[in-house]
DNA sequence: TGGTCCAGATGGACTAGACAATTGAGACTG
DNA sequence: CAGTCTCAATTGTCTAGTCCATCTGGACCA
């Protein structure tokens, strides 16, 4: 790992490799502080700017964070489990909370959310998934979900306007039984869904809404729900910061595989 | 988007915001060239280094690439579809290719792969998933899959040594019927699997094996297969560059959701 | 014609140094 | 004792400039 970096590699890459190795070997563990820029500069015989370039690599790789004026620290990461499959499980008779909230409480943490409902024009991505034309009016129900007060993921649900007009989906209140259920009550029960997951760096809006630091990629999960006759009735866009989630699902073999 | 950046933001952020907006608005499209560093420096009244900081943001965000000595170019991205679910579908009677290869050919492209089999000691992540102790010997069957000669994803399958010793899994040859099938023939048919997907920045080894550029996050898909009695028999680690894949699966509601 | 070589354009790495911004800890004050 | 102020340490931003690495295209030559 460090070997390929040693020879004629630029100084900033050698610096990055040095501390990357220390982190991966466990010599530096999450929460540990790295030497100051000045110390590293002296140790490698370079100027501060070169050190900053090297540490910048580790920052964009998500391995460390800079906390002015305290120094650089090895980043910690704990993954909360995200289960796209469980969305479709029927819940107990009197659900007081949606699936997400229930899971958080089970883990002994405090969930909350900020909801904002607005009427927007569909962009190309949503229009295509909802079977509309770009520019058509849709209802966006945007949520930031927080755990212990910290933003954890985004869940923006989108509905064709004519399906949910004047329904409680358009109120920015928490719907304990979930929008799937409300949609079913409105006569649009969902029958199947297509999940698409993209991996990319977040855009500035996502960075802002989720308070993301540099070096944090996101998984973007498009969950498009269809009625039995194949009509799309909702498209949820979930944005999951990579440092806070792992996505889990299970598969069962349809028939026994025999030789 | 640009608004919040304008006022007192640092120059390098204003530069980044300027070209980010041009890309998102379609004013600059994939393949287009940005002005040279010197041009941008003159336009914003800053020195070249400040321009480099600004463009560096866009590079780590995966929006542009630098091609010396040609300039900066807006990055292109096309996603190939990755379907973790289809792995479990039984294939036609005489499969000449595995699922991955079949899909590529269907799309009119040329698949190939580099296979390397080795005996390694399980790290903590694999040991836990395979129900072994860290350091236990396992067989690693590492593949780099290429499309039209370009590395596209990594598929490293791992097996407990005692299960596959002396079997054809240990030969670094292409197994058209897939390792699942071979494992079944060895008396270990898989019954279900757990999929875990992590999102993070790649490490140097992954960057090297996949020829990744900066600003490309990866999805890491752990696919752990179990026999009917719940014993793990294989753990595959798939590394998918975010700029080349989208992950797709479908869900069906178990029962009709009624109000 | 066809190959070789070289100059110029452009990004990559680095030095040297200045000043600003942030924030915890410790000193101070009422 | 509780609140407030100040300061030092540290990272953040930017300037000004040097030299290097890489590739294209045109000039030149066999």
């Amino acid at each position: 790992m460090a070997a390929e970096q040693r020879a004629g590699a630029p100084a900033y890459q050698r610096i990055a490799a040095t501390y990357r190795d220390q982190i991966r070997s466990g010599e530096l563990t999450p929460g540990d502080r790295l030497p100051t820029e000045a110390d590293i500069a002296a140790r490698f015989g370079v100027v501060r700017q070169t050190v900053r370039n090297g540490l910048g690599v580790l920052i964009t790789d998500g391995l460390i964070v800079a906390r002015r004026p305290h120094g650089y620290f090895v980043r910690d990461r704990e993954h909360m489990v995200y289960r796209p499959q469980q969305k479709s499980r029927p819940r107990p008779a009197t659900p007081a909370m949606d699936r997400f909230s229930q899971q958080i409480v089970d883990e002994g943490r405090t969930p909350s959310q900020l909801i904002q409902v607005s009427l927007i024009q569909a962009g190309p991505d949503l229009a295509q998934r909802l079977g509309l034309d770009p520019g058509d009016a849709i209802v966006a129900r945007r949520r930031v979900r927080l755990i212990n007060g910290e933003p954890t993921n985004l869940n923006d649900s989108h509905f064709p306007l004519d399906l949910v007009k004047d329904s409680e989906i358009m109120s920015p209140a928490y719907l304990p039984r979930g929008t799937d259920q409300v949609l079913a009550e409105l006569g649009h029960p969902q029958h199947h869904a297509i999940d698409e997951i993209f991996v990319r760096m977040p855009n500035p809006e996502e960075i802002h809404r989720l308070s993301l630091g540099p070096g944090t990629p996101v998984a973007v999960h498009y969950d498009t729900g269809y009625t039995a006759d194949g009509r799309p009735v909702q498209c949820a866009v979930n944005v999951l910061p990579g440092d806070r989630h792992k996505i889990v699902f299970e598969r069962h073999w349809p028939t026994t595989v025999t030789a």
Side-chain angles (χ1 to χ4, degrees), chain A:
Chain A
M1 192 56 31
E4 87 248 27
Q5 304 283 10
R6 253 193 272 285
Y12 79 97
Q13 288 181 13
R14 275 183 280 128
I15 293 171
T18 297
Y19 293 101
R20 187 198 304 277
D21 286 351
Q22 292 191 12
I23 292 169
R24 304 209 344 162
S25 72
E27 196 171 337
L28 287 169
T29 58
D32 282 1
R33 198 191 136 178
L34 274 65
T36 67
E37 294 177 350
D39 285 349
I40 298 174
R43 192 171 309 176
F44 284 83
V46 297
V47 297
R48 212 185 116 212
Q49 189 56 236
T50 301
V51 175
R52 288 179 62 76
N53 289 344
L55 298 182
V57 172
L58 301 186
I59 289 177
T60 60
D61 281 0
L63 293 177
I64 64 174
V65 291
R67 282 182 43 215
R68 181 171 52 164
H70 304 297
Y72 292 87
F73 295 84
V74 179
R75 194 157 149 179
D76 192 16
R77 45 182 78 197
E78 55 168 319
H79 291 101
M80 74 159 279
V81 175
Y82 178 82
R83 297 180 186 274
Q85 279 180 331
Q86 290 195 351
K87 298 199 59 165
S88 50
R89 296 250 175 87
R91 281 178 303 278
T94 50
M97 283 178 287
D98 65 18
R99 193 197 98 258
F100 176 84
S101 305
Q102 187 59 58
Q103 179 185 341
I104 305 306
V105 171
D106 290 348
E107 294 169 5
R109 299 191 277 186
T110 309
S112 59
Q113 43 186 319
L114 305 172
I115 303 179
Q116 180 213 327
V117 176
S118 53
L119 202 60
I120 63 171
Q121 291 188 303
D125 56 336
L126 291 171
Q128 181 226 318
R129 288 181 175 79
L130 287 172
L132 305 173
D133 292 317
D136 282 358
I138 57 177
V139 174
R141 188 180 167 86
R142 295 192 171 156
R143 282 191 288 180
V144 183
R145 303 206 258 213
L146 312 119
I147 298 180
N148 294 341
E150 293 184 359
T152 300
N153 64 36
L154 302 182
N155 172 257
D156 297 351
S157 297
H158 303 88
F159 309 88
L161 174 59
D162 56 312
L163 291 194
V164 298
K165 201 163 15 181
D166 305 324
S167 78
E168 59 191 317
I169 281 182
M170 296 203 63
S171 119
Y174 176 51
L175 299 175
R177 62 195 194 283
T179 52
D180 289 357
Q181 183 68 32
V182 175
L183 219 45
E185 292 166 17
L186 289 170
H188 309 291
Q190 283 167 78
H191 171 262
H192 64 281
I194 291 183
D195 296 281
E196 299 164 277
I197 297 176
F198 296 88
V199 175
R200 58 169 168 77
M201 299 310 286
N203 61 39
E205 186 200 339
E206 290 158 351
I207 289 173
H208 175 251
R209 288 175 73 192
L210 287 167
S211 305
L212 295 179
T216 308
V218 293
V220 183
H221 172 207
Y222 285 86
D223 168 4
T224 311
Y226 298 83
T227 51
D229 57 354
R231 195 166 53 117
V233 292
Q234 75 146 325
C235 179
V237 183
N238 298 281
V239 181
L240 318 173
D243 60 346
R244 293 170 214 174
H245 293 82
K246 75 171 176 179
I247 302 168
V248 174
F249 50 95
E250 294 186 23
R251 279 179 289 121
H252 289 263
W253 261 246
T255 57
T256 309
V257 178
T258 50

